[in-house]
Amino acid sequence: PPASAPPRLYRQIDGSHPYALIGALSFALPGSVFAAFTALDLVLWARGATSAVPLTTLLALLLLWLGLHVPLLATGASLGFRQPRAEDPCFTNLIPRQIPTQPLWAHPLVAALSGGLLPFGSAAIELSSLYSSAWNGRIYSLFGFLFLTATTTALICAEVGVVLCYFQLCREDYRWWWRSFAHTGSCGLYFFLHAAAYAHSELHLSGPTAIAIYYGYTAAASAALSLVTGGVSFVACFWFVRSIFAAVKVD
């Protein structure tokens, strides 16, 4: 099952807190999104808006989350932790090696901000149609093109992450774990800035309620996009590093 993939990867990198991983997968992103959704819905209730979600719907969502999502994820995670750990391609030195002085353009912040530009640019053309459908009530029908855009963006995230990881390893900097995630995870930041520019030029929001609703949902979508794009880059870099070290011939 898909829920077994994160625990298997966590075991592969010698993670020692399995219950913390299950809790994070079950409550971190879903809990944050549900809390934001509930808070924004309370704002609509306070304003007397007819678009506010009824309490029964919120309870149904809470029941689906706690009664269906969490047990299924815990079951899949338990199956993932029982899978045998894949053998490492080579032995590593227990003593950390000294990392040479890195150039300014190789700074983690610079690499992260530059790495997210390319995948975001591949999807920026389709974002205007999505914004119009989501906030102007227009019908969206380009699902085939949306699927192609999402696939292309995922491939670009993997390629950008692998290329930046290769350059980092060539500079004898082995700290690629979180940087491989950040290299394309910054795509969510550009998505948020693009949405803010769209709201300023097209929507002309007025009033604190409309601003809170728009930027609240946009922030949740940006966080989810960062996790997806960063995760794709990390998985691609993980298998890239394993592949190149598996090809090393030790005499």
Side-chain angles (χ1 to χ4, degrees):
S4 64
R8 293 183 63 182
L9 182 61
Y10 188 70
R11 280 198 62 192
Q12 194 64 37
I13 61 177
D14 297 327
S16 58
H17 301 284
Y19 295 105
L21 175 67
I22 296 176
L25 293 174
S26 301
F27 298 101
L29 181 62
S32 301
V33 173
F34 184 80
F37 179 77
T38 304
L40 295 175
D41 199 56
L42 290 176
V43 173
L44 293 177
W45 281 351
R47 302 287 293 181
T50 58
S51 57
V53 177
L55 179 61
T56 54
T57 303
L58 288 177
L59 293 177
L61 292 175
L62 183 63
L63 181 62
L64 287 175
W65 173 29
L66 298 179
L68 185 63
H69 170 76
V70 174
L72 289 178
L73 193 145
T75 303
S78 63
L79 294 176
F81 282 120
R82 294 175 184 174
Q83 297 296 321
R85 185 182 183 277
E87 185 179 355
D88 293 329
C90 61
F91 294 100
T92 57
N93 193 356
L94 297 179
I95 302 176
R97 185 176 180 178
Q98 185 176 2
I99 300 175
T101 303
Q102 303 294 312
L104 180 61
W105 57 267
H107 191 274
L109 182 60
V110 177
L113 293 178
S114 59
L117 281 175
L118 194 58
F120 173 76
S122 65
I125 300 177
E126 189 64 15
L127 291 180
S128 298
S129 300
L130 291 176
Y131 294 155
S132 299
S133 301
W135 301 107
N136 293 328
R138 298 176 183 175
I139 299 177
Y140 186 82
S141 58
L142 303 175
F143 293 102
F145 188 73
L146 178 62
F147 175 78
L148 180 62
T149 302
T151 305
T152 304
T153 303
L155 291 176
I156 293 176
C157 285
E159 293 174 357
V160 170
V162 168
V163 170
L164 293 179
C165 179
Y166 173 75
F167 289 156
Q168 182 177 343
L169 294 178
C170 289
R171 298 191 304 271
E172 302 182 21
D173 188 354
Y174 52 84
R175 301 170 299 180
W176 61 271
W177 296 92
W178 282 106
R179 293 189 187 182
S180 64
F181 179 87
H183 284 159
T184 55
S186 60
C187 187
L189 174 62
Y190 293 114
F191 173 80
F192 186 86
L193 296 177
H194 187 271
Y198 177 83
H200 179 73
S201 61
E202 299 292 339
L203 298 181
H204 305 292
L205 301 175
S206 60
T209 302
I211 294 175
I213 294 295
Y214 181 82
Y215 285 101
Y217 285 128
T218 301
S222 301
L225 181 62
S226 294
L227 291 176
V228 172
T229 54
V232 170
S233 174
F234 174 78
V235 172
C237 292
F238 178 78
W239 290 112
F240 168 73
V241 172
R242 286 183 61 88
S243 299
I244 61 175
F245 279 98
V248 174
K249 305 297 182 181
V250 180
D251 296 332

